[in-house]
Amino acid sequence: MAKQEKFMRRALEIARESLDIPGALPYGAVVVRGDDIVGEGLNKAVTLHDPTSHGEVEAIRDACRRLATTDLSGCDLYTTAEPCSMCVATMHVTGIARLYFASGSSESAAFFAKLADVDAKWKRRMSNDDLRHQVGTELKERQMPAEQLLANEAHEIFNDYAKRFGD
């Protein structure tokens, strides 16, 4: 078995664990450095009441804790579904080098549609395609209104921090 398949199978095993964890969703992920899994995660957004608890983000959090760093440059991420914009942003911020995924975003959307047919609580407020559009849109053109307040005070804090801890 190719090394990539081995790591993807582990992500799928993690996703399967959701069948026995109330509120968990079948999105599993692993972060790999070289030949070693350094982080694992399962989507527990519902269980933890944490909308950021996606499998990819949890795997990245786990890897960062284990490696005592926020720099995962050179690491790869294996996940059971194409990541949403939040997960992709987290991957970029931490330096993940390559993504491997099993299911595409359209299959994930179909999965949520099936859940919503059974129980309206699963109806998503925004699809991954809509989310990608909103994230890539200029602030003033997004659906969510935004207003800047007290910028000068924030800049003072940034400057004070840079003076104290900068080079």
Side-chain angles (χ1 to χ4, degrees):
M1 169 178 14
K3 121 177 163 173
Q4 288 88 358
E5 282 187 25
K6 172 184 145 186
F7 296 132
M8 184 59 75
R9 288 196 189 287
R10 178 62 188 139
L12 291 165
E13 286 174 15
I14 293 167
R16 186 164 293 287
E17 292 173 11
S18 70
L19 297 172
D20 298 320
I21 301 172
L25 293 170
Y27 295 95
V30 296
V31 175
V32 174
R33 183 171 66 179
D35 292 329
D36 300 315
I37 292 175
V38 295
E40 296 186 339
L42 175 65
N43 184 314
K44 293 183 181 174
V46 175
T47 305
L48 299 176
H49 307 288
D50 178 357
T52 67
S53 180
H54 290 197
E56 299 89 344
V57 172
E58 291 297 333
I60 289 169
R61 288 174 178 160
D62 187 38
C64 288
R65 280 189 297 266
R66 287 188 198 189
L67 300 174
T69 185
T70 57
D71 182 0
L72 300 178
S73 296
C75 292
D76 297 333
L77 191 137
Y78 293 76
T79 182
T80 55
E82 184 179 344
C84 72
S85 295
M86 176 186 68
C87 294
V88 170
T90 305
M91 292 166 59
H92 279 281
V93 166
T94 58
I96 295 289
R98 181 181 292 264
L99 165 68
Y100 296 92
F101 65 97
S103 181
S105 63
S106 60
E107 290 86 6
S108 192
F111 163 69
F112 275 101
K114 285 179 188 176
L115 290 179
D117 286 345
V118 176
D119 188 336
K121 76 178 179 184
W122 294 107
K123 184 169 173 44
R124 298 187 105 182
R125 289 183 284 165
M126 183 178 289
S127 72
N128 279 342
D129 289 339
D130 291 338
L131 179 60
R132 283 187 182 103
H133 174 74
Q134 286 300 308
V135 169
T137 300
E138 287 191 41
L139 188 64
K140 63 184 178 194
E141 295 175 17
R142 293 183 191 157
Q143 290 176 353
M144 180 192 306
E147 183 177 345
Q148 186 174 16
L149 298 171
L150 304 175
N152 289 336
E153 284 85 343
H155 297 161
E156 286 177 27
I157 295 168
F158 293 159
N159 290 334
D160 290 347
Y161 189 95
K163 286 177 190 171
R164 183 174 292 177
F165 300 107
D167 291 332

